Amino acid sequence: ATATAEPLLETDGSIIAPASVNGVVGLKPTVGLVSRGGTIPISSTQDTVGPIGRTVADVAALLTAIAGPDPADPSTTAPHPARPPAGEDYRRFLRPDALVGVRLGVPRTGFFGLSRAVDQHMARVLAELTRLGAILVDPVELPGMQALFVAEEEVLITEFGVELDAYLARRGADCPVRSLRELIAWNERHADRELVDFGQEELLRALASADHGAVQSRGAGRRARPERCRDFPPGGSRRDRRIRPGAVAAQTIRSRSLIGDERCARPGPA
């Protein structure tokens, strides 16, 4: 049978959010499993390419095809003790007993109680996971998550400014902008086309944050790591996971931003 899936770049929800809204399967791989070569960067600590597809089997087939080392993305070639072997076929993990003994934490605070329909559906999902052999730890607490969300956004917006600057500097001579500052000015000069449906507040935040340096922001992100789930012991298990409902609103964005312009999509000289 033909698989129905395609790769997308996710920083902070671009795979998981549309999968949640459309009732399909999305997987954000660990950074370094799939190359980001040829993509427009946002945050090097969070950007990763992953599959979205009709079924888990389709997603596993596409992940098998796109995962692996690539000299264009050093994160895919850096040594790591947990790195899967090159050429790993993720379809081999599609077993009827794959969930037997897997512990799934259910963080209810902030995720449940928002929609009766979603809660009812999640009750059916949790019952089915139990039937398939999963061990539910329900509920689990995630202390410190709010501080982590704040630090994660700081890292994201700072890296966006630094890395978009570097990306634009590498573009071909026919790209009309070569830096984040030039991009902001270009949008202002062409506001009747570029700023019709939305502003550029995030670009301005990125420009301001970049002046403080990405190193400091990464340090803030490390300091804000939450305590481990109280119900999952230190060291944990590779079979410990969390499950929760998605909470994403569909959005429609009609206009095309400059950084998606085909003139800026071609790399310049090495």
Side-chain angles (χ1 to χ4, degrees), residues 31-36 44 70 73-78 83:
V31 173
L33 184 63
V34 179
S35 174
R36 299 166 295 189
S44 60
D70 178 9
D73 183 354
S75 74
T76 65
T77 58
R83 184 179 299 283

Side-chain angles (χ1 to χ4, degrees), residues 23-250:
V24 295
V25 180
L27 173 67
K28 180 179 182 178
T30 301
V31 173
L33 184 63
V34 179
S35 174
R36 299 166 295 189
T39 65
I40 298 174
I42 295 179
S43 170
S44 60
T45 57
Q46 300 180 64
D47 288 349
T48 184
V49 172
I52 186 170
R54 181 188 56 181
T55 67
V56 173
D58 289 350
V59 164
L62 182 55
L63 182 62
T64 297
I66 63 177
D70 178 9
D73 183 354
S75 74
T76 65
T77 58
H80 194 287
R83 184 179 299 283
E88 176 70 273
D89 188 341
Y90 294 93
R91 294 171 296 181
R92 72 184 182 90
F93 298 105
L94 302 175
R95 307 187 314 270
D97 63 345
L99 285 174
V100 174
V102 173
R103 296 207 313 160
L104 298 176
V106 185
R108 290 188 174 269
T109 302
F111 300 112
F112 288 76
L114 305 175
S115 165
R116 181 181 303 175
V118 171
D119 287 352
Q120 291 173 344
H121 180 70
M122 283 302 298
R124 293 191 293 271
V125 169
L126 295 175
E128 179 66 9
L129 291 170
T130 300
R131 187 188 70 80
L132 293 172
I135 301 169
L136 299 186
V137 182
D138 185 8
V140 295
E141 297 296 331
L142 302 177
M145 286 302 294
Q146 188 57 45
L148 181 63
F149 290 150
V150 172
E152 179 266 344
E153 184 178 11
E154 181 185 355
V155 171
L156 186 155
I157 203 71
T158 301
E159 290 186 335
F160 180 42
V162 172
E163 293 166 12
L164 185 59
D165 247 353
Y167 170 83
L168 291 172
R170 297 193 301 269
R171 298 307 87 197
D174 58 342
C175 183
V177 298
R178 304 305 294 273
S179 70
L180 175 57
R181 193 178 299 275
E182 290 182 12
L183 172 59
I184 291 170
W186 196 97
N187 285 339
E188 291 174 348
R189 291 196 304 272
H190 301 85
D192 59 334
R193 187 181 76 171
E194 296 301 325
L195 304 179
V196 174
D197 293 307
F198 51 87
Q200 53 181 347
E201 293 83 3
E202 298 305 318
L203 294 180
L204 292 168
R205 285 183 61 203
L207 182 64
S209 295
D211 292 337
H212 296 109
V215 175
Q216 289 88 338
S217 287
R218 284 176 177 161
R222 285 193 291 269
R223 290 192 297 273
R225 285 177 180 170
E227 303 169 31
R228 188 170 181 82
C229 296
R230 293 172 185 153
D231 300 284
F232 286 171
S237 165
R238 295 184 66 182
R239 300 176 70 79
D240 288 345
R241 298 293 185 267
R242 294 191 298 273
I243 180 171
R244 63 171 177 83
V248 181

